[in-house]
Amino acid sequence: MTHFSAELWFDFARGIASPEQNVLMHHHLEGQCGKCSTELDMWNRVLEVARREGEYSPPASAVRIAKAAYASADRWTWLPRIARMARLIFDSARQPGAAPVRGSMPHTRQFLHRAEPFVIDLRVESEPARKHVWLTGQVLNSKRPGTNVEGVDVILLSEERFIAKTLANPSGEFELEFGDERGLQLFINIHGQRAIGITLPDPES
Ligand SMILES: [Zn+2]
C-alpha cells in the first residue's frame, strides 16, 4: 500500500491540502490504514495543543505528545521543503550611516521581511561575547493591518536541526533566545497558511 507522507498529513490536519489530495486521503483513511491514522492523530493533537497553548493548561498527555513531536528533530525537516521564503525588504545594517558592527560589542539589527500578505518584523540583539542572541518579532497581515494574526508557530532550525520553538501571542508577537550560530532559518507557521521561511544572517556578517 502507498502511504501519504507526514507533510501531507500535516497539511490535511490543518485543512490546507488540495481538494484532490483531500479526497485521496479520506479514501485512504476509510481503508483503515493504521500507520496513516496514527500520523494524522498525532498532528491533530499537536495542532490542538498549539492552538490552545497559553489559553489554559491542556491535559498532561497532550502536552507530552506535543513536546515529543516538537522536540524530535526529524519532525521539522519537512518545514524547509514546504516553506516559501520571505523577501528581505529592510535591514538596518544596510542603511546609509549605519554604525559598523564591532567585534564583541552587543548590537541590535532590525529586519523587515515580506511574504504576501504577511510582513514579519524582526529585531535581533546579539551579544557576541556571550554568544547569545535575543530575537523578538511580530507577524502582521499587510492586507488587514488592524486584525490579529492568530495561531502562529515560530520554529528556529539550523540546517534542518531543531533549535527552538515558540507560539506567537494573539498580536502576532514572539520572542526567542538562543546561542549564536550559523545557518539559522526561522519558520513562521501560520494556521491555514503555507509556512514562511526567513534566513537569518550569520554572526558578524
Ligand atoms: Zn497509509
Side-chain angles (χ1 to χ4, degrees), residues 1-4 28 33 35-36:
M1 195 191 306
T2 310
H3 301 285
F4 293 95
H28 187 75
C33 176
K35 183 178 182 290
C36 290

Side-chain angles (χ1 to χ4, degrees), residues 135-156:
L135 175 78
T136 51
Q138 186 171 21
V139 182
L140 299 158
N141 186 333
S142 65
K143 294 278 187 287
R144 299 165 70 198
T147 60
N148 289 339
V149 183
E150 297 192 40
V152 183
D153 264 325
V154 181
I155 300 108
L156 183 70

Side-chain angles (χ1 to χ4, degrees), residues 76-97:
W76 297 108
T77 54
W78 50 269
L79 257 179
R81 293 199 296 273
I82 65 160
R84 56 177 174 141
M85 296 309 289
R87 196 162 49 85
L88 177 67
I89 52 176
F90 174 83
D91 176 354
S92 60
R94 304 265 157 82
Q95 299 309 299

